[in-house]
Amino acid sequence: MFDQIEAASQRSEAHSAKKWARVLAKYRDPDPIRSSFELAVTVGPFLILWALAWWSMSISYWLTFTLSLLNAGFLLRLFAIQHDCGHGSLFRNRTLSDWIGRTIGVLTLTPYDVWRRSHSIHHSSAGNLGRRGVGDIQTLTLAEYRALKPHKKVLYRLYRNPVVLFCLGPGYLFILQNRLPLGLMGSVKYWISAMGTNIALVLWVALVWYFGGLAPVLLIFLPTTLLAATAGVWLFYVQHQFETTHWDSEEDWQLHDSALKGSSYYVLPPVLQWVSANIGVHHVHHLYSRIPFYRLPEVLRDHKELAESNRMTIRQSFHSVRLHLWDENSRRLVSFAQAKAL
């Protein structure tokens, strides 16, 4: 009887999540003027800060480094705009969105078509225990972890270590891993995307080196890229890795239910919300990914229930770093210490 009641409750919740997807459809249309404005106020300052950082090398390398770190915020925002291009939510014209995304992809070191495909897989499988491994943070269930051999447990614990995830991982992902279309190696389209981005990237760095030597590469290009990459990985992590997130087995998984329950609403100060292009409103984004980023706050203003769902403050988000395994019994992410106690 209890199982029947629980199953009925889950069906009701899934129906509610689908209802939200229908409600949110009215926010999907982008405003081309607003989209162009958001693009301009991101690209413009990014290029200006690059130029100022270059000019400042004749004054102080510390000033150059500081300007580069500041510019990381605009590079992060460019990645978020590229993200909207991948969902076709920045402009109605898909071709225009794609070429803007490909151009930004050179600046973010991200082959656009490869990323768009892996990110599409992420959206279509987030929270599905039977479809892990593409575009997500590797997460094992408690039972899977206990079944591992000792050396594989060590490797998993190493992978989930904050130093690896947030210090070493971002540089590896954006500077090295993105150079090949991993997971899509059999498609010419994705090889062209990866190699085209690589060629444009090499030309860009070569021009910087030719006109400025090694200094602008070390003091502008690398700090801007690595800090933006670290912030991006952190945001992606906290959007799905929190204690009450949502995972289900293949047979029980529901797309909209997982989108609503398995994505957080990361409450950020206005400046950080602007820099991250509202990507913290992630539960709404996963429910309806065609909504332009600048319309996500509008959704929260109109629907208080969504504004109160899965809220996570910056302070609360730090707790998620200590969570590593999905406990299917308690339906919670737990730490290694909690897993040992269980």
Side-chain angles (χ1 to χ4, degrees):
M1 176 64 72
F2 176 77
D3 290 342
Q4 292 176 342
I5 294 173
E6 184 177 23
S9 175
Q10 289 176 349
R11 286 194 297 270
S12 175
E13 290 171 349
H15 177 75
S16 175
K18 288 182 180 179
K19 177 204 73 174
W20 277 120
R22 292 192 295 269
V23 169
L24 296 177
K26 71 176 184 178
Y27 298 92
R28 63 174 286 171
D29 291 331
D31 177 350
I33 296 177
R34 176 68 183 274
S35 294
S36 300
F37 172 79
E38 297 289 350
L39 183 60
V41 297
T42 308
V43 174
F46 174 79
L47 297 177
I48 291 170
L49 281 171
W50 241 97
L52 286 174
W54 193 306
W55 169 79
S56 71
M57 287 192 299
S58 62
I59 301 175
S60 166
Y61 280 171
W62 284 110
L63 177 58
T64 303
F65 185 71
T66 301
L67 289 171
S68 300
L69 296 183
L70 178 63
N71 208 15
F74 288 95
L75 185 58
L76 174 64
R77 198 168 200 267
L78 278 172
F79 186 87
I81 290 175
Q82 174 189 328
H83 167 265
D84 263 33
C85 290
H87 286 292
S89 58
L90 192 67
F91 292 101
R92 292 186 182 90
N93 187 315
R94 186 72 203 218
T95 302
L96 175 62
S97 289
D98 285 343
W99 278 106
I100 291 173
R102 292 183 183 109
T103 303
I104 295 175
V106 178
L107 301 177
T108 62
L109 280 64
T110 305
Y112 172 76
D113 292 288
V114 177
W115 172 85
R116 186 179 67 174
R117 176 56 183 157
S118 65
H119 192 66
S120 174
I121 294 172
H122 162 68
H123 267 262
S124 64
S125 60
N128 188 332
L129 289 171
R131 295 181 61 195
R132 287 168 287 172
V134 178
D136 58 9
I137 302 291
Q138 183 184 359
T139 306
L140 296 181
T141 67
L142 180 56
E144 288 169 340
Y145 176 74
R146 286 174 171 168
L148 290 178
K149 293 181 178 180
H151 73 281
K152 290 191 174 181
K153 287 183 178 179
V154 171
L155 290 176
Y156 182 72
R157 292 177 75 103
L158 183 63
Y159 168 81
R160 298 287 301 207
N161 187 287
V163 174
V164 174
L165 277 177
F166 308 116
C167 297
L168 303 178
Y172 168 77
L173 172 62
F174 283 89
I175 294 177
L176 297 177
Q177 183 175 309
N178 277 353
R179 307 285 62 82
L180 291 173
L182 298 178
L184 302 168
M185 302 284 276
S187 172
V188 173
K189 174 183 178 181
Y190 300 120
W191 274 100
I192 291 174
S193 175
M195 295 306 109
T197 302
N198 291 345
I199 291 169
L201 180 58
V202 167
L203 290 175
W204 174 31
V205 175
L207 283 172
V208 171
W209 194 310
Y210 178 79
F211 287 105
L214 187 59
V217 176
L218 295 179
L219 294 173
I220 306 175
F221 173 76
L222 283 178
T224 301
T225 300
L226 292 175
L227 182 57
T230 300
V233 169
W234 170 259
L235 286 170
F236 185 78
Y237 181 89
V238 299
Q239 286 159 5
H240 298 286
Q241 298 281 321
F242 54 98
E243 185 176 1
T244 57
T245 189
H246 188 82
W247 291 84
D248 267 322
S249 58
E250 181 93 50
E251 57 271 19
D252 297 325
W253 181 81
Q254 295 285 342
L255 175 66
H256 298 98
D257 197 33
S258 180
L260 180 60
K261 295 180 179 180
S263 307
S264 66
Y265 167 28
Y266 198 27
V267 183
L268 296 171
V271 172
L272 294 182
Q273 188 170 321
W274 187 89
V275 165
S276 60
N278 301 316
I279 198 61
V281 191
H282 210 64
H283 59 325
V284 176
H285 168 67
H286 260 261
L287 273 172
Y288 210 97
S289 61
R290 292 294 299 275
I291 299 175
F293 72 88
Y294 49 80
R295 298 198 68 181
L296 292 173
E298 183 184 344
V299 173
L300 298 184
R301 286 194 299 268
D302 293 347
H303 303 285
K304 299 301 182 185
E305 185 176 340
L306 290 175
E308 297 300 323
S309 177
N310 284 355
R311 289 174 63 91
M312 179 191 295
T313 64
I314 292 178
R315 182 178 180 180
Q316 290 169 336
S317 69
F318 293 139
H319 172 69
S320 67
V321 177
R322 300 195 297 269
L323 305 176
H324 314 100
L325 298 162
W326 176 248
D327 181 8
E328 292 179 279
N329 292 325
S330 67
R331 297 191 61 79
R332 292 283 191 278
L333 274 182
V334 298
S335 66
F336 289 122
Q338 289 172 318
K340 186 176 182 180
L342 288 171

